[in-house]
Amino acid sequence: YVSSKSILNSPKSIYLVHVDSPHSPHNFDKNCNKIKKSLRDLTDDQNFTHYSYAIRCTLNLVFNWVSKINSIEKNNLIFIFGDHGLILDKKRMNDLEKDYGINNFDAIFETFFAYQIPNRCKNLEVPKSLVNLMRFSLNCAENLNLEYLEDYKFLSHWDIFTVNDMVKKYIKE
């Protein structure tokens, strides 16, 4: 789909691509080949290994996709972001805090965010949360001056269901 120049060549087009990786079940091997059989019931170590494959392979796919877009038009607004942060087994989550000072709240509720913007937008304040991403993109694309809202974090049903006790504590703070 993304390799078709006719699809990518429309002026002022907006494409929303949902990539369901590195969510489990992870579907890449260490060489980024698609695994045909779904991986389920993995040990924590196996899950972490396949999670790391999924991250690397997903980033490779995204970099290739961005390169294809840039080969057609260089003045793009490209935003890449996650829907939630890192959720690993309890030992690895504790190791994150011990080894790197990253607490469970930050690991789970901070999301991946990368962007590419045209030079004309380099002077704009980059949003600190996904709440203001659309305002930022409209300010850049249409030369507007929309004010940012307060930087809230939103939790999906899945996040709340998975880490319910942490959410209750997080909301109190």
Side-chain angles (χ1 to χ4, degrees):
Y1 178 78
V2 176
S3 64
S4 170
K5 286 190 177 191
S6 63
I7 291 172
L8 296 174
N9 233 1
S10 306
K12 293 202 176 201
S13 295
I14 296 174
Y15 301 96
L16 176 61
V17 179
H18 178 240
V19 179
D20 198 25
S21 184
H23 290 181
S24 63
H26 307 300
N27 55 358
F28 291 110
D29 67 15
K30 67 180 178 179
N31 298 314
C32 295
N33 297 311
K34 191 127 166 99
I35 297 172
K36 293 185 185 341
K37 185 179 180 200
S38 183
L39 299 174
R40 299 208 185 268
D41 301 322
L42 300 177
T43 67
D44 289 343
D45 288 339
Q46 291 170 322
N47 188 58
F48 184 73
T49 297
H50 284 279
Y51 176 77
S52 66
Y53 297 160
I55 289 174
R56 184 172 43 81
C57 299
T58 301
L59 287 174
N60 287 341
L61 290 169
V62 167
F63 290 141
N64 289 336
W65 180 64
V66 169
S67 293
K68 285 179 184 178
I69 291 172
N70 286 332
S71 72
I72 297 166
E73 171 60 50
K74 296 209 182 300
N75 288 316
N76 296 299
L77 289 154
I78 299 174
F79 301 104
I80 302 164
F81 51 91
D83 56 347
H84 58 78
L86 188 63
I87 300 174
L88 297 171
D89 60 273
K90 195 172 205 169
K91 178 195 176 310
R92 284 191 174 78
M93 294 298 280
N94 289 335
D95 288 348
L96 276 176
E97 186 155 15
K98 183 180 71 167
D99 296 341
Y100 302 102
I102 301 172
N103 67 44
N104 284 348
F105 294 119
D106 289 340
I108 292 172
F109 298 116
E110 291 297 323
T111 59
F112 177 85
F113 176 56
Y115 63 94
Q116 173 186 299
I117 56 176
N119 286 336
R120 70 179 184 279
C121 301
K122 300 281 185 193
N123 62 337
L124 297 176
E125 179 188 354
V126 177
K128 294 177 180 61
S129 71
L130 298 179
V131 170
N132 288 307
L133 187 58
M134 185 56 71
R135 289 169 177 267
F136 176 81
S137 61
L138 288 170
N139 286 345
C140 178
E142 301 299 328
N143 199 26
L144 299 176
N145 192 20
L146 300 172
E147 291 185 32
Y148 286 170
L149 302 174
E150 189 171 342
D151 286 314
Y152 288 108
K153 295 182 189 302
F154 291 95
L155 304 173
S156 68
H157 172 72
W158 183 88
D159 296 326
I160 293 169
F161 178 74
T162 303
V163 289
N164 196 19
D165 291 335
M166 290 184 72
V167 170
K168 288 176 188 172
K169 186 175 178 184
Y170 188 74
I171 290 170
K172 286 179 188 175
E173 293 178 358

